Amino acid sequence: METQVRPSPVSATVDFDSDGIQHGFLRLPYSRDDAAWGSVMIPVTVVKNGEGPTALLTGANHGDEYEGPIALFELARSVRPEDVRGRVIIVPAMNQPAFAAGTRTSPIDKGNMNRAFPGRPDGTVTEKIADYFQRVLLPMADVVLDFHSGGKTLDFLPFCAAHILPDKQQEARAFELVRAFGAPYSVKMLEIDAVGMYDTAAEEMGKVFVTTELGGGGTASARTAQIAIDGCRNLLIAAGILKGKPEVRSTQWLDMPDGDCFTFAEDHGLVRFCADLGDKVQKEQIIAFIYPIGRTGLKPVELRARRSGLFTARHFLGLVKPGDCVAVIADEIIG
Ligand SMILES: [Zn+2]
């Protein structure tokens, strides 16, 4: 007997096959105390002009990362159908409940969107959104750009990235778009926790998947917001979907070849960094001290770099816990 696959409970108020520009919602029924027949309303814009490839652009996969939503609300407001060939689907706040609350995960179910794939049509709110992307939006896409930043607990050198993949053609197309994005840094990325990621879902479908880490600390700077706006446009032009001239910028390529790139805390305490993002560090160099905060007179714990390279990402908040990623060091490579 064939198993019946339950349809997605999400319905779109836009028609993805119509030419022109439409601003609407992905509406997910969500019954709760203040609205028995309420819904989660995820803003979406679709711009289509004839035949051509489809780009799917997402921000706020994590709700406290702001460069993506800034670039995508701006693009949705300003893009003209006559400048598009094919289709652009824009979802500035993929995990809308998390974005509205200013938190990484959803306040409804504590769902981390980037660990929820492939999702479930009969699961939690976060799983239902993931399932809609998995079964409806991703299959429409040729190119997928998913914006991330450090959120409230991490800070990154601004970079665009793709993954090393078994399919070398798919990998090469992704790195072409990373170069076109033109962030100050471009990264060949290693994931420390790839199961359930949107990235993995898109890549396993054969899509060209590009992501970013553009800053952090639960805010966006003028510089990182502009990098996101320009990079998004550059990528769409390089993909042949948007007309116009790209802002060509040089980029420094970085590689994260193995787990030695990451330094984790083993103690609670107050972190004092001894290097800043963008500094070159040597293997065994002290990159941070962790001071115990319960009493005075104790020696701080030394955290040493496990490899030489460029200080690429760091813990953002002043206090750390055992298991927190304190520092990421990447190799500078010739692109
Ligand atoms: Zn993120």
Side-chain angles (χ1 to χ4, degrees), residues 34-77:
D34 68 338
W37 287 6
S39 307
V40 170
M41 300 288 272
I42 305 169
V44 62
T45 292
V46 57
V47 197
K48 186 171 177 290
N49 185 14
E51 296 306 307
T54 293
L56 173 59
L57 312 176
T58 45
N61 175 325
H62 293 130
D64 61 349
E65 303 175 5
Y66 295 102
E67 284 81 356
I70 290 169
L72 296 180
F73 278 115
E74 176 57 26
L75 179 71
R77 178 195 74 77

Side-chain angles (χ1 to χ4, degrees), residues 62 65 104 148-149 213:
H62 293 130
E65 303 175 5
R104 179 174 180 83
H148 288 259
S149 303
E213 295 289 359

Side-chain angles (χ1 to χ4, degrees), residues 60-65 104 112 114-115 146-151 154 156 211-213:
N61 175 325
H62 293 130
D64 61 349
E65 303 175 5
R104 179 174 180 83
N112 179 342
N114 224 25
R115 302 291 181 274
D146 184 37
F147 281 100
H148 288 259
S149 303
L154 290 170
F156 285 87
T211 187
T212 68
E213 295 289 359

